[in-house]
Amino acid sequence: MLLLAGCSGRQSALDPAGEEAEAIYGLFIVLVIGGGVVWLAVTALFIHSARQRQAPWTAEHANRLIAWGGVAFPSVVLLLLLGYAVWLMPAIRPWTPAEARTGAIEVTGEQFWWRIRYPALNGQYAFETANEIRLPLGRPATFLLKATDVIHSFWIPSLGGKMDMIPGRTNILTLTPTRTGIFRAPCAEFCGASHAYMAFSVVVMEESDFDTWSRRQVEGHPATPEKGRLLIQRHGCLGCHALRGSEPRGGTAPDLTLIGARQSIGAGALANTPDNIARFIRSPSSIKPGAKMPDFDMVPESDIAEIARYLGGLK
Ligand code: CUA
């Protein structure tokens, strides 16, 4: 029971919160029970034959045992399992019609963060965000999975199976969340020094909350004369990062719009607090080895604190 207690949580395939994850969970249970039954049968057979030490078997008897126990039995079991897996496949990897691509969320793996683009009706994207995907409850979400540098892997254990993100290719995955909540999704393919610090959060929300959130994302943060915002411009943060509602807008680093509302910063590396944002600005390399953002420890401490306070408040 203590061991089983470890199976729940926000990053567990054994605590499904989506249709595809439920199908995989069902497969897991069938395999565990099936494997248990085969193990018990073999153990019972072993005990039975060990107790009945009779005269040696004839060659014919032994051949029959090999034919039935070594050929027929495994063939039937494997065929049944294959049939079950083929039957289950459409539930795990739903066929995605070409039209669904236009309404799909584009997720690109970068070293070491996630670029996320939400669709607009005109085939363009409505807004970009980073390291956090929000989804409306009960609606199938299609993801176009890409990578810019090396192979990463997209995996939300609570919602479904994983799929590789390969440079030069677009893989498609559809997931249907069935429960609201916050889930964690790790990068599931070794991609470099900070592979272990590359995760994103998935927030499944009621449809109306999701609509409010998307509207706020599109609006961004209209310019205000706040000190933190002026400092962000003065220190050149917007050469790489974007803040919707601000000009200029960089596109090479994670989009910072509504960053204060995210579950974490640095793609799952740190809890989202102004102190941690300041720590990250000062020295990203000490938190995420191999990150492309340089250390900004030459920026005065009071400016970093002001910027961190401003970013933390963007909710
Ligand atoms: Cu990206 Cu591992």
Side-chain angles (χ1 to χ4, degrees), residues 109-114 149-153 165 186-192 194-199:
E110 312 250 358
Q111 271 171 324
F112 300 92
W113 58 281
W114 313 81
D149 35 43
V150 297
I151 299 177
H152 304 268
S153 183
M165 312 169 96
C187 177
E189 179 79 41
F190 180 73
C191 54
S194 277
H195 159 69
Y197 300 110
M198 183 172 173

Side-chain angles (χ1 to χ4, degrees), residues 204-218:
V204 178
M205 324 166 84
E206 296 292 346
E207 183 121 20
S208 57
D209 295 339
F210 174 79
D211 290 343
T212 310
W213 174 79
S214 338
R215 242 193 335 272
R216 303 225 36 224
Q217 277 284 359
V218 174

Side-chain angles (χ1 to χ4, degrees), residues 7 59 65 75 81 104 106 108 120-121 138 176 210 221 258 260 270 292:
C7 298
L65 181 75
S75 303
L81 277 179
E106 188 186 292
T108 309
L121 291 174
T176 312
F210 174 79
H221 314 286
L258 289 183
L270 293 173
K292 288 183 181 138

Side-chain angles (χ1 to χ4, degrees), residues 56-117:
W57 282 6
T58 61
E60 193 198 345
H61 196 166
N63 283 342
R64 239 192 352 253
L65 181 75
I66 291 170
W68 283 106
V71 180
F73 178 70
S75 303
V76 169
V77 169
L78 291 177
L79 264 179
L80 286 177
L81 277 179
L82 179 68
Y84 178 57
V86 169
W87 172 78
L88 202 63
M89 240 182 245
I92 296 176
R93 294 262 185 277
W95 177 74
T96 310
E99 312 87 73
R101 282 165 160 264
T102 50
I105 302 170
E106 188 186 292
V107 184
T108 309
E110 312 250 358
Q111 271 171 324
F112 300 92
W113 58 281
W114 313 81
R115 185 191 296 277
I116 296 149
R117 285 170 170 165

